[in-house]
């Protein structure tokens, strides 16, 4: 049985370029259970990151007793990482929510479903009658199933008519979607994971894949240990395992100061241009905006960029040469780019590098504007994030008409008079008192939103009715008026789509605990109790189970880029995952988009008319049409601008935040798995060796990190950060602390600011000061990277 705590990527299975990634099946079963003891294996895929590794759930006596990777799955070829093996199922101890809770005399008390739903529906109905749909906000997730999101989206858009619906995907992958809309005209991942098997160079932009997509990183390691290995370039201010692999491969580790990505990217684009590495045939035939781009990047010489980013100009030159001269380049982009003030601008430059060289739509030449959460792609596709379903354009009346016909409602019901409200604005409206009903599903904002002191104030407002729908009593649930107990993964059926468009079916393996219900059933129950109807007086929601919801969604996706019409539960059952589009033209799905160099930018087709990357100003439809994009991609440009908060005499460090391999977000699942909890029980603070020496801080000493908004105290880990940069993991709220103290969540420090285009908040740049509080009391607490791993027993 694999030990994925001390060896998070498992044994190597090296292979050569353009050969298939070998199979390696990983398995973990509860102590004392053998493979032959298992009653049933139930098909699913892991929901602890966007990789979406195919797995089978082991069931014995009606309980989950383990998981096994699916050898035939296109995503993982049998492998599972530490979270997949231990975090996906070991959370089912005694502290699940089993009955609804309602607030009485200030305290949450158990009740039955009728009482709880009646409270929700009465408040909802009263506010709709007295104030209207703008009183309602929905803050959902990247962790439900497609069927649940689509149902919620129809309820919100066609039933209530509120534009205030978004996912925590706003914190996660809003920039992925935005960058693809700006460059290609629509959301939709161009690349595929199989590009890892064929690339000559791999660029990771702000992506610590070694810890956050451990199975995908195994795939990279298997190329790095095989013949004709790719060169790796890592762009990350910390010396991560990815950064180390970059150096070992003969590639480059670029460690820019947080918040300077756009300067770095302009420098890379400029090098590609001035060294003659541009594929002019491709650029002329398939893109727009070349002259503007060249003019914008002109001042970004390696020396100028080096000064802004505090890097070596020769490193920039070497990285650009690798991009400019490799035959096949694969790029991945994630939170180091997305959670920043020029997030969309910088991510578009990655698209630009590929477009400039014509490296798109061919094996080994992929762009992966990554997702993070397992089902974030579905939040975006189905419109539960505020986009219109099926990548439709809110500003295109014909697209709104299509939905009105499909749902049989008046087009005026569907909010489209302005862009849908983004999550940060939903919270602002709640703070200002115009949103008075906030339904939070499958997310824990009291830990994960920026500037927690403010978030707690909003959640505690007297005039805000808060519904929380979760499997656990989270930090957020403590502020709720009604808590609805949800069935979780393995306890319900549904489909979801990973970061490379691969769709999986996840079957129900066991019954949920107590009276917990699937999110789908809860949303359906709400729609029924609210008596939501279409123009003919029939029930608005015409389905009553997951498969029915999937069939409805299939129709909604017909003819759009994310076409699911060729998929069905029957086809997905037993399959190894199928990437959309899947339709008459692509009956077995489609690995890569844009092989023909035709992009969905035609004004009748595109999902968005685009923005000014610097200001976020939207492009008028007429102006968009006048550019006659008609299938060509946009090379969008922007100057670098400094982050809104910069180091000062009072707050001399840049604080950035992120993840460890062992925990998922606010740890509601991974914190309940003994092995994962023991591997990383408490938060820590990473400092560079130089900064630690200057502060008189040694390994394990407790330090206080303070921003203008709040503070965190934790032991120091020395030596991985670059000078001037402090790193704090964001996983640690306070549900498992004795004293309910608040000084351990990274988001006590972060600020309420967002990228002008994607509206994604800036978790990666805040100014802080660091002071030593006390000497180390024991060995340093937590492994920032696996080579510090303590060997947890059993
Ligand atoms: N183990 C684990 N895996 C996960 C998750 C998890 O919680 N735990 N969550 C999943 C989800 S939802 C997501 S979104 C992904 C996130 O996956 P990642 O984006 O890989 O994770 P992060 O640690 O947030 O950030 C990545 C890196 O950005 C770097 N960085 C910080 N500031 C900057 C900057 O200004 N520029 C650049 N270039 N880099 C910077 C950080 O040092 C960090 O190493 O992971 C997914 N996978
Ligand atoms: N400082 C800082 N903050 C960050 C980030 C960062 O890098 N730095 N990253 C941001 C990113 S990328 C993300 S994705 C967010 C994540 O932030 P959150 O979404 O708040 O984190 P989770 O802990 O995953 O919360 C998901 C909740 O949904 C519940 N849940 C799981 N499955 C189901 C289900 O099927 N039904 C229901 N009803 N509930 C379910 C879980 O128990 C859990 O409470 O954090 C963001 N916040
Ligand atoms: S890489 Fe992601 S999807 Fe795969 S096993 Fe790990 S957490 Fe699960
Ligand atoms: Mo995320």
């Amino acid at each position: 049985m694999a030990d994925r705590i001390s060896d998070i990527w498992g044994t190597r299975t090296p292979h050569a370029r353009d050969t298939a990634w070998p199979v390696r099946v990983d398995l973990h079963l509860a102590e004392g259970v053998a493979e032959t003891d298992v009653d049933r294996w139930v098909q699913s895929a892991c929901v602890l990151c966007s990789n979406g590794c195919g797995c089978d759930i082991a069931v014995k006596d009606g309980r989950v007793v383990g998981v096994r990777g699916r050898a035939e799955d296109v995503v993982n070829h049998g492998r599972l990482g530490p979270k997949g093996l231990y975090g996906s199922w070991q959370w089912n101890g005694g502290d699940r929510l089993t009955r609804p809770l309602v607030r009485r005399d200030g305290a949450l008390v158990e009740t039955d479903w009728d009482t709880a739903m009646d409270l929700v529906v009465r408040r909802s109905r009263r506010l709709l009658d007295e104030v209207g749909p703008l009183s309602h906000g929905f803050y959902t997730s990247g962790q439900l199933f497609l069927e649940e999101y689509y149902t919620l989206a129809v309820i919100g858009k066609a039933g209530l008519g509120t534009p205030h619906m978004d996912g925590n995907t706003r914190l996660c992958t809003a920039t992925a979607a935005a960058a693809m809309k700006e460059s290609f005209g629509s959301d939709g991942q161009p690349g595929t994971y199989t590009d890892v098997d064929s690339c000559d160079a791999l660029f990771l932009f702000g992506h610590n894949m070694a810890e956050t997509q451990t199975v995908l990183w195994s795939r990279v390691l298997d190329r790095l240990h095989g013949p004709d290995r790719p060169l790796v370039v890592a762009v990350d201010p910390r010396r991560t395992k990815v950064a180390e692999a970059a150096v070992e491969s003969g590639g480059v580790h670029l460690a820019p100061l947080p918040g300077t990505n756009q300067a770095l990217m302009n420098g890379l684009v400029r090098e590609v241009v001035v060294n003659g590495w541009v594929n002019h045939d491709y650029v002329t035939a398939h893109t727009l905006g070349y002259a503007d781009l060249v003019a914008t990047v002109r001042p970004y010489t390696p020396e100028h960029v080096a000064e802004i980013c505090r890097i070596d100009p020769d490193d920039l030159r070497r990285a650009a040469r690798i991009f400019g001269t490799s035959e096949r380049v694969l790029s991945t982009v994630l939170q180091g780019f997305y959670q920043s003030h020029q997030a969309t601008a910088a991510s578009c430059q990655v698209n630009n590098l590929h477009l400039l060289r014509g490296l798109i739509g061919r094996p080994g030449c992929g762009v992966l504007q990554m997702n993070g959460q397992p089902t974030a792609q579905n939040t975006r596709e189905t419109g539960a994030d505020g986009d219109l379903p099926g990548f439709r354009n809110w500003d295109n009346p014909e697209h709104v008409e299509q939905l009105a016909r499909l749902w049989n409602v008046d087009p005026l019901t569907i909010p489209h008079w302005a862009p849908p409200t983004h999550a940060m604005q939903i919270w602002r409206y709640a703070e200002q008192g115009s949103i008075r009903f906030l339904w939070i599903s499958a997310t824990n904002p009291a830990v994960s939103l920026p500037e927690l002191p403010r978030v707690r104030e909003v959640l505690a407002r007297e005039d805000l009715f808060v519904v929380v729908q979760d499997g656990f009593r989270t930090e957020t649930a403590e502020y709720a008026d009604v808590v609805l107990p949800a069935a979780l993964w393995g306890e319900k059926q549904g489909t979801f789509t990973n970061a490379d468009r691969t769709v999986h079916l996840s079957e129900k393996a066991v019954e949920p605990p107590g009276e917990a219900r699937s999110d789908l059933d809860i949303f359906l129950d709400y729609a029924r109790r609210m008596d939501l109807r279409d123009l003919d007086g029939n029930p608005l929601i015409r389905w009553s189970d997951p498969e029915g919801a999937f069939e409805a969604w299939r129709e909604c996706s017909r003819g759009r880029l994310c076409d699911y019409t060729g998929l069905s539960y029957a086809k997905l059952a037993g399959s190894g995952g199928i990437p959309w589009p899947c339709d008459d033209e692509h009956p077995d799905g489609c690995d890569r988009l844009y092989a023909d160099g035709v992009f969905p930018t035609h004004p009748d087709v595109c999902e968005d008319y685009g923005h000014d990357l610097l200001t976020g100003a939207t492009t008028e439809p007429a102006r968009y049409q006048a550019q006659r994009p008609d299938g060509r991609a946009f090379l969008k440009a922007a100057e670098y601008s400094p982050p809104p908060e910069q180091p000062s005499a009072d707050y001399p460090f840049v604080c950035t935040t992120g993840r460890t391999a062992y925990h998922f977000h606010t740890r509601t699942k991974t914190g309940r798995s003994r092995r994962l909890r023991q591997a990383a029980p408490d938060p820590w603070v990473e400092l560079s060796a130089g900064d630690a020496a200057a502060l008189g801080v040694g390994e394990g000493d407790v330090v206080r990190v303070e921003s203008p908004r709040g503070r965190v105290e934790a032991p120091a880990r020395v030596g991985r950060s670059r000078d001037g940069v402090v790193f704090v993991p964001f996983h640690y709220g306070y549900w498992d602390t004795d004293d309910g103290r608040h000084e351990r969540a990274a988001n006590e420090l972060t600020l309420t600011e967002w990228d002008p285009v994607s509206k994604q908040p800036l978790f990666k740049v805040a100014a802080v000061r660091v002071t030593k509080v006390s000497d180390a009391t024991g060995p340093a607490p937590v492994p920032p990277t696996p080579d510090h791993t303590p060997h947890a027993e059993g």
Side-chain angles (χ1 to χ4, degrees):
M1 219 177 273
D3 179 4
R4 282 288 168 285
I5 296 290
S6 59
D7 176 12
I8 65 176
W9 309 294
T11 41
R12 296 281 54 76
T13 49
H15 67 113
R17 193 181 90 157
D18 293 327
T19 62
W21 190 32
V23 165
R24 184 195 84 197
V25 173
D26 292 339
L27 162 78
H28 185 67
L29 294 171
E31 237 171 82
V33 176
E35 241 177 308
T36 46
D37 297 336
V38 172
D39 298 338
R40 286 184 301 133
W41 294 93
V42 179
Q43 181 177 359
S44 183
C46 176
V47 286
L48 291 181
C49 86
S50 59
N51 215 49
C53 298
C55 63
D56 288 316
I57 306 175
V59 182
K60 183 174 158 45
D61 302 329
R63 291 175 52 91
V64 177
V65 292
V67 284
R68 183 175 65 197
R70 285 174 65 85
E72 62 273 43
D73 197 277
V74 293
V75 170
N76 55 324
H77 297 211
R79 290 164 190 74
L80 294 172
K83 286 189 277 96
L85 283 174
Y86 313 120
S88 63
W89 59 279
Q90 289 182 342
W91 31 263
N92 242 337
D95 66 345
R96 282 286 299 280
L97 288 169
T98 55
R99 298 193 71 205
L101 307 174
V102 293
R103 194 166 293 282
R104 281 206 195 108
D105 304 324
L108 287 172
V109 295
E110 283 194 1
T111 189
D112 55 70
W113 274 99
D114 259 339
T115 309
M117 288 307 285
D118 191 53
L119 211 60
V120 171
V121 166
R122 263 192 296 137
R123 179 63 69 107
S124 184
R125 184 46 71 207
R126 202 182 81 209
L127 282 169
L128 283 179
D129 292 347
E130 288 173 8
V131 188
L134 297 183
S135 59
H136 279 53
F138 292 82
Y139 183 52
T140 186
S141 184
Q143 300 177 42
L144 298 181
F145 288 148
L146 179 153
E147 295 78 359
E148 299 172 327
Y149 295 132
Y150 183 57
T151 304
L152 181 63
V154 180
I155 289 173
K157 286 167 176 54
L160 309 176
T162 177
H164 307 326
M165 179 183 291
D166 200 0
N168 66 358
T169 46
R170 190 62 61 182
L171 324 181
C172 183
T173 68
T175 302
M180 291 189 281
K181 290 181 201 175
E182 296 296 330
S183 297
F184 311 132
S186 174
D187 194 345
Q189 193 69 269
T192 155
Y193 290 162
T194 51
D195 287 335
V196 172
D197 310 340
S198 303
C199 65
D200 300 313
L202 172 62
F203 278 65
L204 296 104
F205 295 97
H207 183 190
N208 185 11
M209 189 199 284
E211 296 204 60
T212 58
Q213 260 92 16
T214 54
V215 170
L216 193 56
W217 186 245
S218 305
R219 197 164 186 158
V220 172
L221 288 177
D222 285 344
R223 282 294 315 282
L224 289 175
H225 284 76
D228 44 58
R229 25 180 239 169
L231 293 169
V232 176
V233 175
V235 183
D236 195 309
R238 295 190 302 146
R239 190 160 48 83
T240 58
K241 283 288 162 188
V242 174
E244 285 175 3
V247 174
E248 282 163 25
S249 75
V252 187
H253 173 206
L254 296 168
L257 267 190
T260 65
N261 295 321
Q262 180 62 9
L264 185 120
M265 291 310 297
N266 281 344
L268 286 176
V269 170
R270 181 184 175 279
E271 284 299 287
V272 167
V273 170
V274 299
N275 287 292
W277 293 320
V278 172
N279 176 342
H280 285 285
D281 290 343
Y282 190 91
V283 167
T284 308
H286 301 294
T287 72
L288 279 172
Y290 182 68
D292 272 356
L293 179 66
V294 171
T296 306
V297 301
R298 190 166 295 134
Y300 295 85
T301 62
E303 280 67 26
H304 181 46
V305 171
E307 207 173 300
I308 297 172
C309 303
R310 309 248 196 95
I311 58 170
D312 181 342
D314 285 334
D315 285 346
L316 184 83
R317 289 194 180 90
R318 283 174 48 228
R321 178 169 295 278
I322 293 171
F323 202 102
T325 60
S326 298
E327 203 183 314
R328 305 170 183 182
V329 186
L330 170 64
S331 295
T332 73
V333 194
L334 202 46
Q335 299 311 351
F337 268 44
Y338 294 169
Q339 293 172 338
S340 207
H341 68 296
Q342 290 193 294
T344 309
S347 304
C348 281
Q349 302 318 307
V350 179
N351 298 341
N352 287 348
L353 286 172
H354 283 263
L355 291 167
L356 287 172
R357 290 214 54 225
L359 300 180
I360 195 161
R362 286 186 282 123
C365 304
V367 181
L368 291 170
Q369 295 283 354
M370 290 296 299
N371 297 341
Q373 290 177 93
T375 75
Q377 189 62 46
N378 307 110
T379 320
R380 281 148 42 193
E381 289 162 11
T382 60
D385 66 338
D387 287 324
L388 290 187
F391 298 158
R392 287 180 175 81
N393 186 345
W394 65 270
D395 209 4
N396 181 335
E398 169 50 27
H399 286 191
V400 178
E401 280 287 345
Q402 288 169 7
L403 291 173
R405 279 196 297 273
L406 181 73
W407 295 333
N408 190 25
V409 296
D410 187 330
L412 290 177
T413 312
I414 303 171
H416 65 280
W417 53 89
T421 317
H422 60 88
M424 299 303 288
Q425 191 64 35
I426 290 179
W427 285 87
R428 177 79 83 216
Y429 287 149
E431 183 175 40
Q432 292 168 341
S434 69
I435 287 182
R436 290 164 58 185
F437 175 101
L438 183 62
W439 189 329
I440 299 168
S441 47
T443 181
N444 190 8
V447 182
S448 58
L449 276 181
E451 202 179 344
L452 292 181
R454 167 179 177 259
V455 174
R456 287 191 289 268
E457 254 176 58
V458 177
L459 282 168
R461 281 181 69 101
E462 283 282 317
D463 62 355
L464 183 68
F465 187 82
V466 178
V467 181
V468 171
Q469 184 167 314
D470 202 293
F472 301 99
R473 193 157 165 169
T474 60
E475 289 87 345
T476 307
E478 293 309 320
Y479 292 90
D481 294 283
V482 176
V483 180
L484 302 175
L488 300 177
W489 179 85
E491 299 164 353
K492 60 181 181 178
Q493 185 188 38
T495 57
F496 65 96
T497 307
N498 79 345
D500 83 342
R501 290 174 281 103
T502 303
V503 186
H504 283 110
L505 175 65
S506 181
E507 294 282 11
K508 175 172 171 175
V510 296
E511 290 302 322
E515 296 172 24
R517 285 190 190 171
S518 76
D519 298 275
L520 179 67
D521 284 341
I522 299 172
F523 294 142
L524 289 173
D525 190 28
Y526 172 74
R528 201 161 38 232
R529 287 171 190 263
M530 292 293 287
D531 198 26
L532 302 178
R533 296 195 175 261
D534 68 10
L535 282 176
D536 296 324
N538 295 316
L540 176 70
I541 310 291
R542 284 163 262 168
W543 51 91
S544 55
D545 63 0
E547 191 164 5
F550 186 83
E551 302 285 315
W553 161 249
R554 272 193 347 178
E555 274 318 302
C556 185
S557 75
R558 186 179 291 281
R560 300 297 298 166
L561 183 60
C562 54
D563 197 322
Y564 280 66
T565 48
L567 291 172
S568 65
Y569 273 28
K571 189 159 173 173
L572 289 166
S575 86
I578 302 172
W580 63 247
C582 184
D583 51 17
D584 291 344
E585 202 185 321
H586 314 92
D588 298 315
C590 184
D591 274 344
R592 286 177 197 85
L593 304 181
Y594 312 136
D596 54 3
V598 178
F599 299 88
T601 51
H602 191 285
D604 295 347
V605 177
C606 70
E607 187 180 4
D608 203 288
Y609 298 131
H611 300 77
D612 180 289
L613 295 185
L614 210 51
T615 63
T618 52
T619 309
E620 292 300 316
R623 230 191 95 212
Y624 183 87
Q625 277 165 11
Q627 302 175 76
R628 309 188 65 89
D630 305 351
R632 285 175 292 174
F634 295 99
L635 295 165
K636 288 229 160 173
E639 296 154 30
Y640 163 71
S641 66
E645 190 170 271
Q646 288 179 288
S648 61
D650 267 357
Y651 299 100
F653 292 93
V654 184
C655 178
T656 194
T657 62
R659 294 162 165 80
T660 166
Y662 300 114
H663 283 299
F664 186 62
H665 300 163
T666 72
R667 293 174 309 128
T668 60
K669 286 181 177 173
T670 53
R672 286 174 169 86
S673 151
R674 184 172 52 90
R675 307 199 58 191
L676 294 172
R677 189 177 58 249
Q678 285 175 348
D682 288 299
W684 69 94
V685 173
E686 288 178 35
L687 294 170
S688 78
D691 290 338
L695 290 165
V697 171
E699 180 78 7
D701 290 352
V702 176
V703 295
R704 179 178 302 144
V705 183
E706 285 170 286
S707 82
R709 296 156 293 275
R711 66 184 196 182
V712 171
E713 282 182 17
R717 297 292 321 219
V718 177
R720 292 263 158 188
S721 232
R722 58 153 297 154
D723 286 345
V725 177
V726 179
F727 174 88
V728 186
F730 89 100
H731 303 295
Y732 301 89
Y734 37 91
W735 63 263
D736 59 347
T737 61
D738 297 334
D739 54 359
R741 69 204 156 100
H742 293 155
E743 288 90 27
R744 48 189 251 142
N747 282 320
E748 305 293 341
L749 306 167
T750 46
L751 64 167
T752 305
E753 293 273 355
W754 52 82
D755 174 65
V757 182
S758 69
K759 325 292 187 209
Q760 186 158 347
L762 274 52
F763 293 114
K764 298 286 190 260
V765 268
V768 295
R769 64 170 160 251
V770 181
T771 45
K772 179 170 159 175
V773 176
S774 57
D775 287 332
T777 52
V782 177
T785 48
D787 56 4
H788 293 279
T789 301
H791 285 260
E793 89 290 1

